[in-house]
Amino acid sequence: MSEQQEEMSFWDHLEALRWTLFRCIIALVVFAIGSFAAMRYLFDEVILAPCHADFILYKLLCRITTAVPLLPDFCDETYNVTLFNVKLASQFFTHMTTSFWLALLLTFPYLMYEVWKFIRPALYEHEKQNVRWVFMFGTGMFFMGCAVGYFLVFPMTLRFLATYHISESIQEQVSLESYMDNFFMLIFIMGVVFEMPLLSWLLSKLGLLTRAFFNKYRRHAIVGLLVIAAFITPSSDPFTLGCVFFPLYGLYELSALFVRKAPKEDDEEEETNIVKYEKGD
């Protein structure tokens, strides 16, 4: 095969795209069927796990709050969220849609690999290195965000809302649809939120964002992230609020590290270092 490959025509690109989509659909169908078959176990042991007092987060918080008496108590062994179903076909459709979403989540790395394979021939060698790093980092951050959503954000939100009572005469029961909507929404939102460092890096590469932006609006960001954390976990105690706020603030600072400084910022920093050096003499 010659070193210089012939340029692909429009129909060649279309054919490559067709096979890429075909492989992605096959992967989704296979994993959706597997998820559908294992859904009873997945539902009881994974999806509904935050409904019970023996969930891993609650056990960990119980140990922490026992050691520190000032923190709210998470050692309620009677905690249990009961779900109910109203519509006749809801459980069947929940079975189907949950299988699809789990398949999408599990095949996400492979889907990103197929996208990478499709766009790779159009890139230069140095661009391939950068884009490969972007896909790997973006995939890892997405799964990290989903993990934070599942193990932290959703259980904290569920526990607060399920135990909140406006009146003792009202019995708390959660519908299946409401539970699943919040489950997927919070987990996928956290997965997307964890892409913020990657988005910041891309905007920096385009010259649309510099580190000065993060330094200038850090106080505004802290207030905004506190509001978001309070909205996600509307609890009155600072411990619960901090469990959500600090990961979000960590993402903000990580995003600032991925953004390059503007030339003016570099000059000002160099001048500051010179002044400090002269004062030290």
Side-chain angles (χ1 to χ4, degrees):
M1 192 172 183
S2 61
E3 293 183 0
Q4 291 184 346
Q5 298 179 349
E6 296 182 0
E7 185 178 354
M8 294 177 64
S9 65
F10 170 77
W11 297 110
D12 291 333
H13 284 292
L14 195 63
E15 181 70 9
L17 177 61
R18 185 173 72 88
W19 279 105
T20 298
L21 293 175
F22 177 75
R23 289 191 294 268
C24 291
I25 292 172
I26 290 297
L28 281 172
V29 170
V30 170
F31 274 84
I33 293 174
S35 300
F36 187 89
M39 186 53 62
R40 185 177 296 275
Y41 172 82
L42 293 174
F43 225 87
D44 290 338
E45 301 298 328
V46 179
I47 296 176
L48 297 182
C51 293
H52 309 297
D54 59 351
F55 186 62
I56 183 172
L57 175 69
Y58 305 148
K59 288 184 176 180
L60 177 62
L61 292 178
C62 179
R63 293 178 182 177
I64 296 174
T65 55
T66 302
V68 185
L70 296 178
L71 297 179
D73 184 21
F74 282 89
C75 299
D76 184 9
E77 295 294 336
T78 63
Y79 172 75
N80 185 69
V81 177
T82 303
L83 303 185
F84 71 93
N85 180 53
V86 176
K87 297 180 181 179
L88 183 63
S90 288
Q91 294 196 57
F92 173 74
F93 285 117
T94 299
H95 196 153
M96 296 288 290
T97 55
T98 305
S99 300
F100 169 76
W101 284 112
L102 286 177
L104 184 61
L105 181 65
L106 295 174
T107 58
F108 187 77
Y110 176 74
L111 299 180
M112 291 296 99
Y113 172 72
E114 286 293 340
V115 173
W116 158 248
K117 276 196 352 180
F118 179 73
I119 68 173
R120 183 175 56 185
L123 302 175
Y124 294 106
E125 287 300 323
H126 68 280
E127 292 176 330
K128 290 180 182 180
Q129 296 295 329
N130 291 333
V131 174
R132 184 185 295 113
W133 177 86
V134 167
F135 274 111
M136 292 177 60
F137 179 77
T139 302
M141 291 299 291
F142 176 79
F143 276 107
M144 188 181 298
C146 290
V148 171
Y150 174 76
F151 287 104
L152 179 63
V153 177
F154 176 73
M156 297 292 282
T157 303
L158 174 68
R159 190 179 181 100
F160 172 77
L161 294 178
T163 56
Y164 182 85
H165 294 285
I166 193 173
S167 173
E168 294 298 330
S169 61
I170 301 176
Q171 184 178 1
E172 182 69 28
Q173 287 184 324
V174 182
S175 69
L176 176 63
E177 292 181 349
S178 175
Y179 182 88
M180 295 306 299
D181 288 344
N182 284 275
F183 181 82
F184 284 120
M185 180 186 69
L186 290 176
I187 290 176
F188 277 94
I189 282 179
M190 291 305 298
V192 173
V193 168
F194 267 64
E195 298 291 343
M196 187 168 67
L198 179 59
L199 177 62
S200 300
W201 178 80
L202 292 174
L203 293 176
S204 175
K205 285 292 184 181
L206 295 174
L208 301 177
L209 190 63
T210 62
R211 195 171 297 178
F213 174 86
F214 290 90
N215 296 332
K216 181 179 179 180
Y217 293 101
R218 180 170 279 104
R219 294 180 180 178
H220 302 79
I222 291 175
V223 175
L225 292 175
L226 282 171
V227 173
I228 294 174
F231 178 78
I232 294 175
T233 56
S235 177
S236 58
D237 63 274
F239 176 74
T240 305
L241 183 67
C243 287
V244 178
F245 167 75
F246 286 110
L248 295 178
Y249 181 70
L251 280 177
Y252 182 87
E253 295 297 340
L254 181 62
S255 300
L257 292 177
F258 276 79
V259 173
R260 61 185 178 185
K261 298 179 181 179
K264 185 178 179 181
E265 292 180 72
D266 293 334
D267 294 340
E268 290 178 353
E269 183 175 347
E270 186 176 352
E271 291 177 2
T272 303
N273 292 334
I274 292 173
V275 171
K276 289 182 179 179
Y277 178 77
E278 291 176 350
K279 287 183 177 180
D281 291 343

